[in-house]
Amino acid sequence: MKISVIGAGYVGLVTGASLAKIGHHVTCLDVNEEKIEVLNKGRSPIYEPDLEALIQQNMKARTLSFTTDFEIACQQAEIIIIAVGTPSNQDGSADLTAIKDVSEKIGAHIHHPGTIILTKSTVPVGTNQKVKSWLHTYSFSADHFMIASNPEFLREGSAIHDTFNGDRIVIGSENEEAARKLEEMFAPFGVPILHTSIESAEMIKYSSNAFLATKISFINEIANLCEKLGANVEDVARGMGMDQRIGSAFLQAGIGYGGSCFPKDTNALVQIAGEMEHEFELLESVIKVNAKQQVKLVQMAKDHVKDLKGKRAGILGLSFKPNTDDIREAASIEMIKLLVEEGVQMTVYDPVAQDNAKSLLGDTVTFADNCFDAIEDQDMLFIVTEWEEFKVLRLKTISKLMDLPLVFDGRNCFALEEAIDANIDYYSIGRPAVTQFSNSKKNV
Ligand code: UDX
């Protein structure tokens, strides 16, 4: 099939490259000329494992091309996928400016009767109906298009894998012909397909993300209690997860969720509920718990060290999770802001997210060239992202690099036995603290 994808961000690029891989002819459009120039050279503008290789492979096979021109993108397309961003407005609602803009442009350029306009961007319930009216703004004919919704569930860092191994593909449509054609388009992925109404499809995306965020905030609250009660959250999560009704996924306690989806979508759902005069109290609490959790390590450090002013700290990890350079809503940013206010001098290191962080953090911190430079001679070390590169470090090595080794691990990267063995002070999430040098507050 001939498919165009509007918006060459995470979702658009991964979708475009994956659809090309299963045999479709795909054109990806973005208004950002620089981005399209980079893509036309066969390079990926974002860090996502396997994406660049897939782009190159499909460009070579002539099944994937890039453009900034709506006329080129729309002239032959049977299916046009909208994958532009829906960032948060100040009040938490979704900003639909880009969706409106591209819908109007698509409407003005469609040539084929029966073209399907498929929205992949996460949009509030009812938006696809607005898309329909925006498509008509500059279009000549009403029967030029059919609208449908296809929420995206891929995770950054494993987006290609997720596309080919998803749990489900949701197709929301109001027309059997569109539903059948979209099923045909997705069939080669071999992923179970669920057909729903457009409104239900839109709601499935928000509900799924809100539920996963709830699981995370829940286990983090259990972790906070475990610390007080002397229990170990990892054992608790294991015991809970063995109950198939609960499941073991997304029960990893840590310093909260970040990224481009959970924070934005949970806020948007609270906002959507509010518009319907429904107070979504559960989700409001999930968001509140997460905000506290993201800066938990700072409180732990303040409890342990009398005065943080003038102390030196190493920060390992800036991205909101491993295998991505994305720092949107990352715990690292909030934490670092607070530590700067406390007068802490920081040396930070992340394998791929440093360039993105530089524009946000400027010269408030020192960027290290490798993880050892961020550890050596620091008064304390914060582990913020569980990159494999950090997990393979041994605590004994860390201990040797620091004078009085004091580690705050926000992602439970190491076993408690290893911390005892390495003779360090080691604080993690929801597990008993390992305190070798002191049992009470001290001034390092
Ligand atoms: C998420 C959804 O998983 C995906 O389906 C949706 O389409 C987009 O949002 P993503 O944001 O890429 O994907 O990352 P994900 O792997 O889900 O992690 C989100 C955040 O939750 C990360 O900050 C991660 O560290 C945190 N997390 C995840 C936990 O703290 N504990 C867990 O058990 C799982």
Side-chain angles (χ1 to χ4, degrees), residues 152-157 168 205 209 212 216 219-220 249-262 265 320-322 386 411:
E152 184 52 69
F153 303 107
L154 56 82
R155 291 165 300 174
E156 288 180 22
R168 76 303 204 189
K205 172 65 192 245
N209 277 353
L212 292 172
I216 297 171
I219 200 65
N220 284 337
F250 277 70
L251 285 183
Q252 207 174 317
I255 45 172
Y257 60 78
S260 64
C261 282
F262 287 172
D265 294 350
F320 81 97
K321 68 173 192 176
E386 66 276 35
R411 300 292 178 186

PDB file of all heavy atoms in Angstrom, residues 152-157 168 205 209 212 216 219-220 249-262 265 320-322 386 411, ligand 1:
ATOM      1  N   GLU A 152      -0.941   4.472  19.821  1.00  0.00           N
ATOM      2  CA  GLU A 152       0.399   3.873  19.760  1.00  0.00           C
ATOM      3  C   GLU A 152       0.839   3.443  21.158  1.00  0.00           C
ATOM      4  O   GLU A 152       0.709   4.198  22.104  1.00  0.00           O
ATOM      5  CB  GLU A 152       1.359   4.947  19.218  1.00  0.00           C
ATOM      6  CG  GLU A 152       2.748   4.467  19.006  1.00  0.00           C
ATOM      7  CD  GLU A 152       2.788   3.208  18.174  1.00  0.00           C
ATOM      8  OE1 GLU A 152       2.489   3.266  16.989  1.00  0.00           O
ATOM      9  OE2 GLU A 152       3.094   2.133  18.733  1.00  0.00           O
ATOM     10  N   PHE A 153       1.386   2.236  21.271  1.00  0.00           N
ATOM     11  CA  PHE A 153       1.796   1.744  22.596  1.00  0.00           C
ATOM     12  C   PHE A 153       3.294   1.494  22.692  1.00  0.00           C
ATOM     13  O   PHE A 153       3.765   0.882  23.647  1.00  0.00           O
ATOM     14  CB  PHE A 153       1.039   0.444  22.931  1.00  0.00           C
ATOM     15  CG  PHE A 153      -0.459   0.600  22.893  1.00  0.00           C
ATOM     16  CD1 PHE A 153      -1.201   0.047  21.858  1.00  0.00           C
ATOM     17  CD2 PHE A 153      -1.124   1.329  23.865  1.00  0.00           C
ATOM     18  CE1 PHE A 153      -2.589   0.198  21.808  1.00  0.00           C
ATOM     19  CE2 PHE A 153      -2.508   1.492  23.824  1.00  0.00           C
ATOM     20  CZ  PHE A 153      -3.242   0.923  22.797  1.00  0.00           C
ATOM     21  N   LEU A 154       4.063   1.934  21.702  1.00  0.00           N
ATOM     22  CA  LEU A 154       5.500   1.598  21.732  1.00  0.00           C
ATOM     23  C   LEU A 154       6.226   2.371  22.825  1.00  0.00           C
ATOM     24  O   LEU A 154       5.841   3.474  23.200  1.00  0.00           O
ATOM     25  CB  LEU A 154       6.149   1.838  20.372  1.00  0.00           C
ATOM     26  CG  LEU A 154       6.056   3.211  19.719  1.00  0.00           C
ATOM     27  CD1 LEU A 154       7.095   4.160  20.271  1.00  0.00           C
ATOM     28  CD2 LEU A 154       6.235   3.043  18.212  1.00  0.00           C
ATOM     29  N   ARG A 155       7.283   1.727  23.330  1.00  0.00           N
ATOM     30  CA  ARG A 155       8.103   2.366  24.362  1.00  0.00           C
ATOM     31  C   ARG A 155       9.387   2.882  23.731  1.00  0.00           C
ATOM     32  O   ARG A 155       9.971   2.205  22.879  1.00  0.00           O
ATOM     33  CB  ARG A 155       8.485   1.352  25.445  1.00  0.00           C
ATOM     34  CG  ARG A 155       7.341   0.896  26.295  1.00  0.00           C
ATOM     35  CD  ARG A 155       7.713  -0.338  27.065  1.00  0.00           C
ATOM     36  NE  ARG A 155       8.084  -1.431  26.163  1.00  0.00           N
ATOM     37  CZ  ARG A 155       8.560  -2.602  26.551  1.00  0.00           C
ATOM     38  NH1 ARG A 155       8.759  -2.842  27.811  1.00  0.00           N
ATOM     39  NH2 ARG A 155       8.844  -3.542  25.668  1.00  0.00           N
ATOM     40  N   GLU A 156       9.827   4.043  24.162  1.00  0.00           N
ATOM     41  CA  GLU A 156      11.120   4.541  23.699  1.00  0.00           C
ATOM     42  C   GLU A 156      12.197   3.563  24.144  1.00  0.00           C
ATOM     43  O   GLU A 156      12.105   2.982  25.212  1.00  0.00           O
ATOM     44  CB  GLU A 156      11.390   5.926  24.289  1.00  0.00           C
ATOM     45  CG  GLU A 156      10.520   6.989  23.663  1.00  0.00           C
ATOM     46  CD  GLU A 156      10.780   8.361  24.251  1.00  0.00           C
ATOM     47  OE1 GLU A 156      11.864   8.588  24.808  1.00  0.00           O
ATOM     48  OE2 GLU A 156       9.869   9.195  24.163  1.00  0.00           O
ATOM     49  N   GLY A 157      13.207   3.411  23.314  1.00  0.00           N
ATOM     50  CA  GLY A 157      14.302   2.513  23.678  1.00  0.00           C
ATOM     51  C   GLY A 157      14.064   1.096  23.187  1.00  0.00           C
ATOM     52  O   GLY A 157      15.000   0.326  23.034  1.00  0.00           O
ATOM     53  N   ARG A 168      -1.147  -5.772  21.179  1.00  0.00           N
ATOM     54  CA  ARG A 168      -2.369  -5.563  20.384  1.00  0.00           C
ATOM     55  C   ARG A 168      -2.191  -4.333  19.500  1.00  0.00           C
ATOM     56  O   ARG A 168      -1.396  -3.432  19.795  1.00  0.00           O
ATOM     57  CB  ARG A 168      -3.598  -5.409  21.265  1.00  0.00           C
ATOM     58  CG  ARG A 168      -3.838  -4.099  22.005  1.00  0.00           C
ATOM     59  CD  ARG A 168      -2.756  -3.641  22.906  1.00  0.00           C
ATOM     60  NE  ARG A 168      -3.191  -2.752  23.983  1.00  0.00           N
ATOM     61  CZ  ARG A 168      -2.330  -2.130  24.756  1.00  0.00           C
ATOM     62  NH1 ARG A 168      -1.013  -2.239  24.570  1.00  0.00           N
ATOM     63  NH2 ARG A 168      -2.757  -1.368  25.747  1.00  0.00           N
ATOM     64  N   LYS A 205      -5.949   4.367  24.868  1.00  0.00           N
ATOM     65  CA  LYS A 205      -4.582   4.881  25.026  1.00  0.00           C
ATOM     66  C   LYS A 205      -4.402   5.568  26.388  1.00  0.00           C
ATOM     67  O   LYS A 205      -3.475   5.280  27.151  1.00  0.00           O
ATOM     68  CB  LYS A 205      -4.280   5.848  23.881  1.00  0.00           C
ATOM     69  CG  LYS A 205      -2.970   6.610  24.009  1.00  0.00           C
ATOM     70  CD  LYS A 205      -1.761   5.701  23.940  1.00  0.00           C
ATOM     71  CE  LYS A 205      -0.501   6.393  24.351  1.00  0.00           C
ATOM     72  NZ  LYS A 205       0.481   6.556  23.365  1.00  0.00           N
ATOM     73  N   ASN A 209      -2.087   4.066  29.634  1.00  0.00           N
ATOM     74  CA  ASN A 209      -0.978   4.805  30.234  1.00  0.00           C
ATOM     75  C   ASN A 209      -1.276   5.191  31.684  1.00  0.00           C
ATOM     76  O   ASN A 209      -0.395   5.135  32.548  1.00  0.00           O
ATOM     77  CB  ASN A 209      -0.642   6.047  29.403  1.00  0.00           C
ATOM     78  CG  ASN A 209       0.269   5.702  28.237  1.00  0.00           C
ATOM     79  OD1 ASN A 209       0.746   4.566  28.137  1.00  0.00           O
ATOM     80  ND2 ASN A 209       0.524   6.649  27.365  1.00  0.00           N
ATOM     81  N   LEU A 212      -0.795   2.071  33.883  1.00  0.00           N
ATOM     82  CA  LEU A 212       0.624   1.738  34.105  1.00  0.00           C
ATOM     83  C   LEU A 212       1.258   2.732  35.074  1.00  0.00           C
ATOM     84  O   LEU A 212       2.039   2.351  35.956  1.00  0.00           O
ATOM     85  CB  LEU A 212       1.374   1.704  32.770  1.00  0.00           C
ATOM     86  CG  LEU A 212       0.974   0.559  31.828  1.00  0.00           C
ATOM     87  CD1 LEU A 212       1.619   0.725  30.456  1.00  0.00           C
ATOM     88  CD2 LEU A 212       1.358  -0.794  32.423  1.00  0.00           C
ATOM     89  N   ILE A 216       2.984   2.070  38.874  1.00  0.00           N
ATOM     90  CA  ILE A 216       4.298   2.565  39.311  1.00  0.00           C
ATOM     91  C   ILE A 216       4.166   3.368  40.607  1.00  0.00           C
ATOM     92  O   ILE A 216       4.915   3.146  41.565  1.00  0.00           O
ATOM     93  CB  ILE A 216       4.967   3.416  38.198  1.00  0.00           C
ATOM     94  CG1 ILE A 216       5.224   2.553  36.958  1.00  0.00           C
ATOM     95  CG2 ILE A 216       6.280   4.019  38.695  1.00  0.00           C
ATOM     96  CD1 ILE A 216       5.673   3.339  35.734  1.00  0.00           C
ATOM     97  N   ILE A 219       3.500   0.993  43.562  1.00  0.00           N
ATOM     98  CA  ILE A 219       4.647   0.241  44.091  1.00  0.00           C
ATOM     99  C   ILE A 219       5.641   1.207  44.765  1.00  0.00           C
ATOM    100  O   ILE A 219       6.299   0.843  45.738  1.00  0.00           O
ATOM    101  CB  ILE A 219       5.329  -0.639  43.006  1.00  0.00           C
ATOM    102  CG1 ILE A 219       6.171  -1.749  43.656  1.00  0.00           C
ATOM    103  CG2 ILE A 219       6.196   0.167  42.047  1.00  0.00           C
ATOM    104  CD1 ILE A 219       5.422  -2.769  44.437  1.00  0.00           C
ATOM    105  N   ASN A 220       5.689   2.442  44.301  1.00  0.00           N
ATOM    106  CA  ASN A 220       6.582   3.399  44.948  1.00  0.00           C
ATOM    107  C   ASN A 220       6.094   3.761  46.350  1.00  0.00           C
ATOM    108  O   ASN A 220       6.893   3.937  47.274  1.00  0.00           O
ATOM    109  CB  ASN A 220       6.747   4.656  44.081  1.00  0.00           C
ATOM    110  CG  ASN A 220       7.675   4.397  42.905  1.00  0.00           C
ATOM    111  OD1 ASN A 220       8.502   3.478  42.957  1.00  0.00           O
ATOM    112  ND2 ASN A 220       7.544   5.165  41.839  1.00  0.00           N
ATOM    113  N   ALA A 249       4.836  -7.038  35.655  1.00  0.00           N
ATOM    114  CA  ALA A 249       5.355  -5.875  34.918  1.00  0.00           C
ATOM    115  C   ALA A 249       4.992  -4.562  35.607  1.00  0.00           C
ATOM    116  O   ALA A 249       3.968  -4.453  36.275  1.00  0.00           O
ATOM    117  CB  ALA A 249       4.787  -5.880  33.508  1.00  0.00           C
ATOM    118  N   PHE A 250       5.857  -3.589  35.454  1.00  0.00           N
ATOM    119  CA  PHE A 250       5.638  -2.234  35.971  1.00  0.00           C
ATOM    120  C   PHE A 250       5.446  -2.182  37.486  1.00  0.00           C
ATOM    121  O   PHE A 250       4.696  -1.370  38.010  1.00  0.00           O
ATOM    122  CB  PHE A 250       4.465  -1.552  35.235  1.00  0.00           C
ATOM    123  CG  PHE A 250       4.940  -0.962  33.935  1.00  0.00           C
ATOM    124  CD1 PHE A 250       5.300  -1.779  32.882  1.00  0.00           C
ATOM    125  CD2 PHE A 250       5.101   0.406  33.783  1.00  0.00           C
ATOM    126  CE1 PHE A 250       5.800  -1.265  31.699  1.00  0.00           C
ATOM    127  CE2 PHE A 250       5.598   0.941  32.613  1.00  0.00           C
ATOM    128  CZ  PHE A 250       5.943   0.100  31.574  1.00  0.00           C
ATOM    129  N   LEU A 251       6.164  -3.063  38.166  1.00  0.00           N
ATOM    130  CA  LEU A 251       6.180  -3.020  39.634  1.00  0.00           C
ATOM    131  C   LEU A 251       7.605  -2.782  40.114  1.00  0.00           C
ATOM    132  O   LEU A 251       7.985  -3.235  41.182  1.00  0.00           O
ATOM    133  CB  LEU A 251       5.631  -4.329  40.211  1.00  0.00           C
ATOM    134  CG  LEU A 251       4.122  -4.534  40.130  1.00  0.00           C
ATOM    135  CD1 LEU A 251       3.714  -5.841  40.801  1.00  0.00           C
ATOM    136  CD2 LEU A 251       3.366  -3.368  40.788  1.00  0.00           C
ATOM    137  N   GLN A 252       8.382  -2.103  39.293  1.00  0.00           N
ATOM    138  CA  GLN A 252       9.748  -1.807  39.706  1.00  0.00           C
ATOM    139  C   GLN A 252       9.779  -0.459  40.407  1.00  0.00           C
ATOM    140  O   GLN A 252       9.540   0.584  39.786  1.00  0.00           O
ATOM    141  CB  GLN A 252      10.647  -1.786  38.483  1.00  0.00           C
ATOM    142  CG  GLN A 252      12.067  -2.145  38.822  1.00  0.00           C
ATOM    143  CD  GLN A 252      12.892  -2.249  37.565  1.00  0.00           C
ATOM    144  OE1 GLN A 252      12.450  -2.824  36.561  1.00  0.00           O
ATOM    145  NE2 GLN A 252      14.061  -1.666  37.600  1.00  0.00           N
ATOM    146  N   ALA A 253      10.056  -0.515  41.708  1.00  0.00           N
ATOM    147  CA  ALA A 253      10.086   0.739  42.478  1.00  0.00           C
ATOM    148  C   ALA A 253      11.306   1.550  42.076  1.00  0.00           C
ATOM    149  O   ALA A 253      12.343   1.010  41.706  1.00  0.00           O
ATOM    150  CB  ALA A 253      10.135   0.418  43.969  1.00  0.00           C
ATOM    151  N   GLY A 254      11.182   2.859  42.140  1.00  0.00           N
ATOM    152  CA  GLY A 254      12.304   3.720  41.764  1.00  0.00           C
ATOM    153  C   GLY A 254      11.976   5.162  42.066  1.00  0.00           C
ATOM    154  O   GLY A 254      11.177   5.452  42.967  1.00  0.00           O
ATOM    155  N   ILE A 255      12.575   6.072  41.279  1.00  0.00           N
ATOM    156  CA  ILE A 255      12.296   7.489  41.524  1.00  0.00           C
ATOM    157  C   ILE A 255      11.285   8.014  40.508  1.00  0.00           C
ATOM    158  O   ILE A 255      11.396   9.125  40.007  1.00  0.00           O
ATOM    159  CB  ILE A 255      13.581   8.339  41.559  1.00  0.00           C
ATOM    160  CG1 ILE A 255      14.506   7.976  40.408  1.00  0.00           C
ATOM    161  CG2 ILE A 255      14.277   8.191  42.893  1.00  0.00           C
ATOM    162  CD1 ILE A 255      15.683   8.918  40.283  1.00  0.00           C
ATOM    163  N   GLY A 256      10.280   7.180  40.255  1.00  0.00           N
ATOM    164  CA  GLY A 256       9.119   7.655  39.508  1.00  0.00           C
ATOM    165  C   GLY A 256       9.232   7.533  38.008  1.00  0.00           C
ATOM    166  O   GLY A 256      10.276   7.203  37.471  1.00  0.00           O
ATOM    167  N   TYR A 257       8.106   7.816  37.370  1.00  0.00           N
ATOM    168  CA  TYR A 257       8.050   7.750  35.909  1.00  0.00           C
ATOM    169  C   TYR A 257       8.282   9.124  35.300  1.00  0.00           C
ATOM    170  O   TYR A 257       7.956  10.146  35.893  1.00  0.00           O
ATOM    171  CB  TYR A 257       6.710   7.165  35.437  1.00  0.00           C
ATOM    172  CG  TYR A 257       5.484   7.955  35.876  1.00  0.00           C
ATOM    173  CD1 TYR A 257       5.099   9.130  35.226  1.00  0.00           C
ATOM    174  CD2 TYR A 257       4.711   7.532  36.943  1.00  0.00           C
ATOM    175  CE1 TYR A 257       3.986   9.843  35.624  1.00  0.00           C
ATOM    176  CE2 TYR A 257       3.581   8.246  37.351  1.00  0.00           C
ATOM    177  CZ  TYR A 257       3.237   9.413  36.688  1.00  0.00           C
ATOM    178  OH  TYR A 257       2.145  10.120  37.081  1.00  0.00           O
ATOM    179  N   GLY A 258       8.884   9.138  34.106  1.00  0.00           N
ATOM    180  CA  GLY A 258       9.060  10.384  33.356  1.00  0.00           C
ATOM    181  C   GLY A 258       8.751  10.100  31.899  1.00  0.00           C
ATOM    182  O   GLY A 258       8.002   9.172  31.592  1.00  0.00           O
ATOM    183  N   GLY A 259       9.339  10.888  31.000  1.00  0.00           N
ATOM    184  CA  GLY A 259       9.177  10.625  29.573  1.00  0.00           C
ATOM    185  C   GLY A 259       8.100  11.462  28.926  1.00  0.00           C
ATOM    186  O   GLY A 259       7.502  12.339  29.549  1.00  0.00           O
ATOM    187  N   SER A 260       7.855  11.162  27.671  1.00  0.00           N
ATOM    188  CA  SER A 260       6.963  12.008  26.883  1.00  0.00           C
ATOM    189  C   SER A 260       5.509  11.590  27.010  1.00  0.00           C
ATOM    190  O   SER A 260       4.627  12.284  26.520  1.00  0.00           O
ATOM    191  CB  SER A 260       7.374  11.936  25.413  1.00  0.00           C
ATOM    192  OG  SER A 260       7.187  10.621  24.949  1.00  0.00           O
ATOM    193  N   CYS A 261       5.234  10.432  27.636  1.00  0.00           N
ATOM    194  CA  CYS A 261       3.843   9.946  27.634  1.00  0.00           C
ATOM    195  C   CYS A 261       3.155   9.963  28.992  1.00  0.00           C
ATOM    196  O   CYS A 261       2.119  10.612  29.154  1.00  0.00           O
ATOM    197  CB  CYS A 261       3.797   8.528  27.071  1.00  0.00           C
ATOM    198  SG  CYS A 261       3.907   8.516  25.289  1.00  0.00           S
ATOM    199  N   PHE A 262       3.695   9.228  29.968  1.00  0.00           N
ATOM    200  CA  PHE A 262       2.965   9.079  31.236  1.00  0.00           C
ATOM    201  C   PHE A 262       2.624  10.426  31.883  1.00  0.00           C
ATOM    202  O   PHE A 262       1.459  10.660  32.232  1.00  0.00           O
ATOM    203  CB  PHE A 262       3.748   8.201  32.218  1.00  0.00           C
ATOM    204  CG  PHE A 262       3.764   6.728  31.869  1.00  0.00           C
ATOM    205  CD1 PHE A 262       4.561   5.833  32.554  1.00  0.00           C
ATOM    206  CD2 PHE A 262       2.966   6.234  30.849  1.00  0.00           C
ATOM    207  CE1 PHE A 262       4.574   4.485  32.238  1.00  0.00           C
ATOM    208  CE2 PHE A 262       2.964   4.896  30.509  1.00  0.00           C
ATOM    209  CZ  PHE A 262       3.772   4.008  31.214  1.00  0.00           C
ATOM    210  N   ASP A 265       0.047  12.276  29.559  1.00  0.00           N
ATOM    211  CA  ASP A 265      -1.256  11.628  29.385  1.00  0.00           C
ATOM    212  C   ASP A 265      -2.058  11.545  30.695  1.00  0.00           C
ATOM    213  O   ASP A 265      -3.283  11.631  30.681  1.00  0.00           O
ATOM    214  CB  ASP A 265      -1.091  10.235  28.771  1.00  0.00           C
ATOM    215  CG  ASP A 265      -0.542  10.317  27.345  1.00  0.00           C
ATOM    216  OD1 ASP A 265      -0.488  11.439  26.803  1.00  0.00           O
ATOM    217  OD2 ASP A 265      -0.149   9.279  26.791  1.00  0.00           O
ATOM    218  N   PHE A 320      15.216   9.777  31.021  1.00  0.00           N
ATOM    219  CA  PHE A 320      14.116   9.346  31.912  1.00  0.00           C
ATOM    220  C   PHE A 320      14.090   7.841  32.104  1.00  0.00           C
ATOM    221  O   PHE A 320      13.452   7.332  33.019  1.00  0.00           O
ATOM    222  CB  PHE A 320      12.768   9.870  31.410  1.00  0.00           C
ATOM    223  CG  PHE A 320      12.138   9.073  30.294  1.00  0.00           C
ATOM    224  CD1 PHE A 320      11.167   8.125  30.570  1.00  0.00           C
ATOM    225  CD2 PHE A 320      12.497   9.284  28.975  1.00  0.00           C
ATOM    226  CE1 PHE A 320      10.559   7.384  29.547  1.00  0.00           C
ATOM    227  CE2 PHE A 320      11.911   8.551  27.951  1.00  0.00           C
ATOM    228  CZ  PHE A 320      10.942   7.599  28.235  1.00  0.00           C
ATOM    229  N   LYS A 321      14.808   7.125  31.238  1.00  0.00           N
ATOM    230  CA  LYS A 321      15.003   5.684  31.394  1.00  0.00           C
ATOM    231  C   LYS A 321      16.168   5.294  30.488  1.00  0.00           C
ATOM    232  O   LYS A 321      16.601   6.120  29.661  1.00  0.00           O
ATOM    233  CB  LYS A 321      13.729   4.919  31.042  1.00  0.00           C
ATOM    234  CG  LYS A 321      13.359   4.990  29.573  1.00  0.00           C
ATOM    235  CD  LYS A 321      12.196   4.060  29.281  1.00  0.00           C
ATOM    236  CE  LYS A 321      12.010   3.913  27.785  1.00  0.00           C
ATOM    237  NZ  LYS A 321      10.976   2.970  27.428  1.00  0.00           N
ATOM    238  N   PRO A 322      16.720   4.075  30.606  1.00  0.00           N
ATOM    239  CA  PRO A 322      17.871   3.716  29.766  1.00  0.00           C
ATOM    240  C   PRO A 322      17.487   3.574  28.290  1.00  0.00           C
ATOM    241  O   PRO A 322      16.315   3.457  27.958  1.00  0.00           O
ATOM    242  CB  PRO A 322      18.305   2.352  30.327  1.00  0.00           C
ATOM    243  CG  PRO A 322      17.532   2.131  31.563  1.00  0.00           C
ATOM    244  CD  PRO A 322      16.330   3.005  31.534  1.00  0.00           C
ATOM    245  N   GLU A 386      19.023   3.640  35.184  1.00  0.00           N
ATOM    246  CA  GLU A 386      19.665   2.327  35.290  1.00  0.00           C
ATOM    247  C   GLU A 386      20.291   1.876  33.962  1.00  0.00           C
ATOM    248  O   GLU A 386      19.973   0.814  33.427  1.00  0.00           O
ATOM    249  CB  GLU A 386      18.684   1.284  35.842  1.00  0.00           C
ATOM    250  CG  GLU A 386      17.485   0.932  34.960  1.00  0.00           C
ATOM    251  CD  GLU A 386      16.298   1.891  35.080  1.00  0.00           C
ATOM    252  OE1 GLU A 386      16.499   3.094  35.273  1.00  0.00           O
ATOM    253  OE2 GLU A 386      15.157   1.414  34.939  1.00  0.00           O
ATOM    254  N   ARG A 411      17.423   3.574  41.404  1.00  0.00           N
ATOM    255  CA  ARG A 411      16.894   2.527  40.521  1.00  0.00           C
ATOM    256  C   ARG A 411      17.263   1.118  40.983  1.00  0.00           C
ATOM    257  O   ARG A 411      17.207   0.174  40.205  1.00  0.00           O
ATOM    258  CB  ARG A 411      17.401   2.755  39.087  1.00  0.00           C
ATOM    259  CG  ARG A 411      16.986   4.090  38.477  1.00  0.00           C
ATOM    260  CD  ARG A 411      15.511   4.187  38.228  1.00  0.00           C
ATOM    261  NE  ARG A 411      15.134   5.509  37.695  1.00  0.00           N
ATOM    262  CZ  ARG A 411      13.883   5.875  37.498  1.00  0.00           C
ATOM    263  NH1 ARG A 411      12.889   5.069  37.795  1.00  0.00           N
ATOM    264  NH2 ARG A 411      13.601   7.072  37.023  1.00  0.00           N
TER     265      ARG A 411
HETATM  266  C1  UDX B   1       5.207   4.495  27.776  1.00  0.00           C
HETATM  267  C2  UDX B   1       4.302   3.265  27.580  1.00  0.00           C
HETATM  268  O1  UDX B   1       4.932   2.105  28.127  1.00  0.00           O
HETATM  269  C3  UDX B   1       3.972   3.087  26.108  1.00  0.00           C
HETATM  270  O2  UDX B   1       3.065   2.010  25.946  1.00  0.00           O
HETATM  271  C4  UDX B   1       3.350   4.372  25.596  1.00  0.00           C
HETATM  272  O3  UDX B   1       3.038   4.281  24.247  1.00  0.00           O
HETATM  273  C5  UDX B   1       4.294   5.544  25.816  1.00  0.00           C
HETATM  274  O4  UDX B   1       4.602   5.638  27.214  1.00  0.00           O
HETATM  275  P1  UDX B   1       7.799   5.053  27.560  1.00  0.00           P
HETATM  276  O5  UDX B   1       7.454   6.404  28.090  1.00  0.00           O
HETATM  277  O6  UDX B   1       8.679   4.966  26.374  1.00  0.00           O
HETATM  278  O7  UDX B   1       6.458   4.238  27.173  1.00  0.00           O
HETATM  279  O8  UDX B   1       8.529   4.258  28.729  1.00  0.00           O
HETATM  280  P2  UDX B   1       8.223   3.087  29.757  1.00  0.00           P
HETATM  281  O9  UDX B   1       9.194   1.995  29.527  1.00  0.00           O
HETATM  282  O10 UDX B   1       6.815   2.705  29.795  1.00  0.00           O
HETATM  283  O11 UDX B   1       8.656   3.810  31.132  1.00  0.00           O
HETATM  284  C6  UDX B   1       8.047   5.029  31.545  1.00  0.00           C
HETATM  285  C7  UDX B   1       8.615   5.481  32.858  1.00  0.00           C
HETATM  286  O12 UDX B   1       8.193   4.622  33.914  1.00  0.00           O
HETATM  287  C8  UDX B   1      10.152   5.500  32.929  1.00  0.00           C
HETATM  288  O13 UDX B   1      10.568   6.687  33.569  1.00  0.00           O
HETATM  289  C9  UDX B   1      10.500   4.286  33.773  1.00  0.00           C
HETATM  290  O14 UDX B   1      11.700   4.471  34.488  1.00  0.00           O
HETATM  291  C10 UDX B   1       9.306   4.219  34.703  1.00  0.00           C
HETATM  292  N1  UDX B   1       9.026   2.857  35.211  1.00  0.00           N
HETATM  293  C11 UDX B   1       8.612   1.871  34.379  1.00  0.00           C
HETATM  294  C12 UDX B   1       9.167   2.600  36.572  1.00  0.00           C
HETATM  295  O15 UDX B   1       9.543   3.484  37.368  1.00  0.00           O
HETATM  296  N2  UDX B   1       8.879   1.344  37.043  1.00  0.00           N
HETATM  297  C13 UDX B   1       8.451   0.338  36.251  1.00  0.00           C
HETATM  298  O16 UDX B   1       8.194  -0.767  36.750  1.00  0.00           O
HETATM  299  C14 UDX B   1       8.315   0.606  34.855  1.00  0.00           C
END
